[in-house]
Amino acid sequence: MKRLSTYFALFSTIIAVLAGALVLFVARFRGVIDLTSFWMLAPFALVVFLFALVVGSFIARPLAELSAKIRAWRAGDTQVNFEGAGSLQEADDLAADYKRLLDSSYAQLADLTRQEKQQRQLIGDVAHELRTPLTAIHGTAELLEDPDLPPALREKFTHTILTESERLSNLVNDLLSLQHIEGDAQELNYERVNLRPLVQEACDALAAMLAERGANLEIAGEAPDVLGNRDRLKQVVSNLVDNASHFIEPGGHIRVELYGIEGNSVIAVKDDGTGFGDTDPKMLFERFFRTDFSRARNTGGSGLGLAIVKSVVEAHDGTVEAYNLPEGGACFIVAIPSIATS
């Protein structure tokens, strides 16, 4: 068997025999000894081999112990201690490297497990979200088959199908958007962005919808420029304003504030609606989470708007938080690193 101790002993023996032979050859050349003295190399080689074997075994012991630990770990003993024993620096370094490899493997396994769990949960959530509008469309379509259906009901059921179809379309678009953001966050095209006109553009695009819901919108303040993707940042503002419009009464107010603080450009969207009560603010940014399930369904929300906001903001190395306002309503704060000014 090829062992370090054996190789060490053989190598030491060869070196010792060669050195002894050289000494005897020189002594023979000078006439000090005769040829029979060369037979002394055999016992000398044996002694050297045995001595080197013992020394080699001592040197190889830390490696053998590390090998035993690895076998024990592979057998299922997760309590194995891979800390170095201090008897051989190389063995300690190898044990440390192996421990780092294990830690990395555990982290990767945990990440894969988390991703798999998220995938399963996402599939279940999507199936759940699709079931309701599909059921409504199917049931309404069956009612429309009745040839004696009054025109008023026919118009009502047709409107229901169109509404539910639009909600399905919004859900699919939001899912594709979320997948694109999370999958290609590093491939977004970034440029210098002035936030005030960007916020104005996003709000102008929502003007008709806000007017229909009776929402009063106000934009105030300025913020330093940021390095970002204009379309994605506009989507953040649109989703936050749209979300606020769902939870205010007709005639309610939405205020978008811009300012800079501690090296960050901040977009704060406030409303005077119902707020989100005792709900954990972090849960608001989870996929398909709703504080008021039935109300959000009636407004056609996909439950992905705030999840998209979180993904976009994090892709810009920023943060997003939410809290209830003391006077009522909710406030969502987006903070993105500002471009340093010289």
Side-chain angles (χ1 to χ4, degrees):
M1 183 176 292
K2 300 177 181 179
R3 291 185 177 275
L4 175 62
S5 56
T6 305
Y7 280 121
F8 180 79
L10 289 174
F11 180 75
S12 300
T13 302
I14 292 172
I15 295 299
V17 169
L18 290 177
L22 180 61
V23 171
L24 292 176
F25 180 79
V26 172
R28 168 60 181 163
F29 180 76
R30 294 183 177 181
V32 177
I33 60 175
D34 54 19
L35 291 174
T36 57
S37 299
F38 280 90
W39 291 106
M40 297 171 55
L41 290 175
F44 173 72
L46 180 61
V47 172
V48 170
F49 177 80
L50 294 176
F51 178 76
L53 191 62
V54 173
V55 174
S57 299
F58 177 78
I59 294 175
R61 182 179 301 170
L63 296 176
E65 292 175 351
L66 176 60
S67 178
K69 291 180 179 179
I70 294 174
R71 287 196 300 272
W73 178 82
R74 292 182 60 185
D77 185 2
T78 58
Q79 304 300 318
V80 176
N81 183 10
F82 285 99
E83 296 296 332
S87 55
L88 183 64
Q89 183 62 45
E90 287 76 6
D92 291 348
D93 292 341
L94 183 59
D97 289 340
Y98 191 77
K99 186 175 185 300
R100 283 192 290 269
L101 178 62
L102 284 182
D103 292 340
S104 176
S105 299
Y106 285 139
Q108 291 178 0
L109 180 61
D111 187 53
L112 288 174
T113 302
R114 179 183 57 81
Q115 291 181 10
E116 184 179 354
K117 181 179 179 181
Q118 287 179 340
Q119 270 190 336
R120 289 198 302 267
Q121 182 177 356
L122 177 61
I123 292 172
D125 290 340
V126 171
H128 179 77
E129 294 298 317
L130 292 176
R131 183 182 296 116
T132 300
L134 286 175
T135 300
I137 291 173
H138 183 267
T140 306
E142 286 184 337
L143 293 174
L144 286 174
E145 290 182 339
D146 184 358
D148 300 324
L149 192 67
L153 285 179
R154 186 176 298 278
E155 182 179 353
K156 176 182 178 181
F157 291 155
T158 301
H159 177 72
T160 299
I161 290 177
L162 290 175
T163 300
E164 294 300 322
S165 298
E166 182 180 359
R167 186 145 67 89
L168 276 176
S169 178
N170 291 337
L171 174 60
V172 171
N173 290 335
D174 284 346
L175 282 171
L176 291 174
S177 179
L178 189 61
Q179 181 186 37
H180 178 71
I181 294 167
E182 294 181 346
D184 301 324
Q186 302 302 322
E187 299 180 11
L188 294 178
N189 295 319
Y190 293 99
E191 59 181 316
R192 189 184 189 99
V193 178
N194 185 335
L195 290 177
R196 179 59 189 248
L198 180 142
V199 170
Q200 187 67 59
E201 291 174 15
C203 293
D204 288 344
L206 297 175
M209 180 270 292
L210 294 174
E212 182 181 349
R213 296 176 184 174
N216 297 293
L217 178 67
E218 178 185 2
I219 303 174
E222 296 279 351
D225 292 353
V226 299
L227 185 65
N229 181 279
R230 288 186 56 83
D231 292 336
R232 292 305 180 189
L233 291 176
K234 192 182 297 184
Q235 188 176 21
V236 166
V237 177
S238 298
N239 285 8
L240 289 177
V241 172
D242 177 67
N243 177 74
S245 71
H246 287 314
F247 298 99
I248 59 173
E249 299 296 333
H253 297 81
I254 301 172
R255 178 180 173 88
V256 182
E257 298 179 355
L258 297 168
Y259 55 91
I261 183 173
E262 297 181 354
N264 290 314
S265 299
V266 177
I267 305 172
V269 179
K270 302 179 180 179
D271 66 71
D272 57 1
T274 58
F276 50 86
D278 297 331
T279 303
D280 183 354
K282 294 181 180 179
M283 293 298 298
L284 299 175
F285 302 98
E286 295 294 324
R287 297 169 180 172
F288 303 113
F289 181 82
R290 297 184 177 93
T291 55
D292 186 339
F293 190 83
S294 60
R295 184 175 180 183
R297 282 193 180 280
N298 292 335
T299 56
S302 68
L304 291 172
L306 294 180
I308 290 175
V309 168
K310 181 174 182 288
S311 294
V312 172
V313 172
E314 289 182 346
H316 286 76
D317 296 326
T319 59
V320 58
E321 298 177 347
Y323 62 89
N324 287 307
L325 295 171
E327 63 273 20
C331 177
F332 290 81
I333 298 180
V334 171
I336 297 174
S338 307
I339 294 179
T341 56
S342 55

